[in-house]
Amino acid sequence: MIYDSELILNQDGSVYHLNLLPEDIADTIIFVGDQERVPLVSKYFDEIEIKKGKREFITHTGYLRGKRISVVSTGIGTDNIDIVINEIDALFNVDLQTKMLKPEIKYVDIIRIGTSGSVRSDIPVDQIIVSEFAVGFDSLMQFYKKQYTEEEVEIQKIMAQAFADMGMKPYVGKAHTALIEKYAYDLYKGVTVTAPGFYGPQGRKVRTQTTVPQFIELAASLDLVGRHITNLEMETAGIYALSNMFGHRAISINAILASRVNTTFSTQPQDVIERAIRLVLDRF
Ligand code: R1P
């Protein structure tokens, strides 16, 4: 039995932050950061059945080519990802009436469509890439007991050593191969660094100094067991590591809006985001 304080429900029985009942969510869920991106996705649904939300967590659920699909905005950061994934998991795997775990665990597919900055000169603005791995510079996974694969531990070690001046314990998560094959087989496959902020934690120095002055150069130069860091954003590592832990399948596709190498920003950000949305929905 899960106590009321541990899994909080609203008066109508919905989960506390997402404001959703189990029947409000499909088992394929698109995550977007910005809540204004939710209608940009759901406008392609053949039918929108449910529109619900609270705070930055807006959900639209409907049908696309006869299959049920949801889009949920997560807001910014892995602290929100903790809430979204835990509450989605509870919607599927906890009997919210009795507050008991259901006997059979159900797994969902999560596809993030996000925006990001590139750290490589061969990934220009307006490109769409998929994260094969993600490295979290935030502390989210320090609070969970989780097994990591040998490959993930190796990447963690290299990252911890390279960024030792920042005194962090980076964690690693991996995309689900079947989802890469379905949605992102032809995209550049990269390693995403997920930062716990937008400015200093991504090496931006508007009126500050940062711990690692050559953050972008250092990130781009690392050899992560034959892979290299491609981009920076604020959610993917949390999505991957928590999904890996729960057993859900996840991938993260990012529209590159900024090049941190050429120091440029897309002149048509909405177009590339739209392209990323259509790419995913065409393959659904
Ligand atoms: C920062 O502007 C936000 O944009 C990126 C970052 O990860 C962060 O959430 O992603 P989204 O556009 O999906 O929010």
Side-chain angles (χ1 to χ4, degrees):
M1 159 101 183
I2 301 156
Y3 295 113
D4 289 350
S5 59
E6 308 306 291
L7 178 62
I8 301 168
L9 301 182
N10 300 309
Q11 290 264 305
D12 66 352
S14 59
V15 289
Y16 186 58
H17 299 92
L18 298 189
N19 204 26
L20 297 175
L21 295 164
E23 59 266 34
D24 294 334
I25 188 109
D27 61 10
T28 298
I29 307 157
I30 293 178
F31 280 8
V32 292
D34 184 355
Q35 57 262 51
E36 291 186 2
R37 208 174 296 147
V38 170
L40 296 184
V41 175
S42 66
K43 73 176 186 217
Y44 290 109
F45 295 179
D46 300 325
E47 178 199 338
I48 301 175
E49 192 192 358
I50 286 142
K51 286 186 180 183
K52 283 192 175 183
K54 197 200 257 187
R55 301 187 188 225
E56 59 266 64
F57 309 114
I58 306 298
T59 298
H60 290 181
T61 294
Y63 286 89
L64 179 60
R65 296 188 295 277
K67 285 183 282 179
R68 206 158 180 254
I69 183 168
S70 293
V71 52
V72 179
S73 58
T74 64
I76 291 181
T78 58
D79 44 356
N80 278 351
I81 294 300
D82 180 60
I83 289 173
V84 174
I85 294 192
N86 271 282
E87 291 191 2
I88 285 175
D89 187 76
L91 285 168
F92 284 91
N93 292 314
V94 178
D95 180 332
L96 298 183
Q97 312 277 331
T98 61
K99 288 270 184 88
M100 303 287 280
L101 292 181
K102 290 184 181 169
E104 201 178 319
I105 300 297
K106 176 106 182 73
Y107 300 108
V108 301
D109 283 355
I110 294 167
I111 303 135
R112 165 173 153 83
I113 305 175
T115 65
S116 185
S118 159
V119 302
R120 295 187 61 84
S121 52
D122 59 345
I123 305 178
V125 295
D126 300 339
Q127 184 159 337
I128 298 166
I129 67 172
V130 65
S131 316
E132 193 180 6
F133 285 90
V135 183
F137 274 5
D138 58 294
S139 61
L140 175 65
M141 293 312 292
Q142 288 180 25
F143 299 92
Y144 290 100
K145 262 196 180 161
K146 178 186 177 300
Q147 295 290 324
Y148 291 92
T149 64
E150 268 179 39
E151 203 174 23
E152 288 167 350
V153 171
E154 195 53 40
I155 295 174
Q156 273 165 19
K157 272 194 209 148
I158 299 167
M159 293 297 285
Q161 208 171 13
F163 290 93
D165 285 353
M166 290 172 13
M168 305 162 320
K169 267 178 83 179
Y171 63 89
V172 177
K174 192 177 189 308
H176 197 280
T177 316
L179 292 192
I180 291 200
E181 278 163 18
K182 177 168 175 175
Y183 292 99
Y185 51 86
D186 50 357
L187 299 184
Y188 193 118
K189 293 168 192 64
V191 180
T192 298
V193 168
T194 292
F198 188 76
Y199 289 94
Q202 294 183 33
R204 288 188 172 95
K205 297 167 279 221
V206 178
R207 213 167 65 75
T208 53
Q209 295 306 310
T210 55
T211 330
V212 179
Q214 305 302 320
F215 186 92
I216 301 299
E217 294 82 348
L218 176 60
S221 71
L222 293 178
D223 180 349
L224 302 176
V225 214
R227 296 185 177 80
H228 46 247
I229 296 170
T230 45
N231 62 308
L232 308 173
E233 45 80 276
M234 297 177 63
E235 291 82 20
T236 299
I239 295 172
Y240 281 3
L242 286 180
S243 298
N244 296 164
M245 186 182 73
F246 278 115
H248 301 305
R249 310 198 304 176
I251 52 164
S252 175
I253 290 173
N254 274 294
I256 299 296
L257 297 189
S259 166
R260 303 296 305 287
V261 187
N262 303 334
T263 60
T264 53
F265 189 80
S266 173
T267 54
Q268 54 227 343
Q270 287 312 322
D271 291 358
V272 59
I273 292 168
E274 193 73 35
R275 216 159 21 89
I277 292 169
R278 281 205 305 265
L279 176 135
V280 169
L281 294 183
D282 282 350
R283 295 168 179 189
F284 169 62

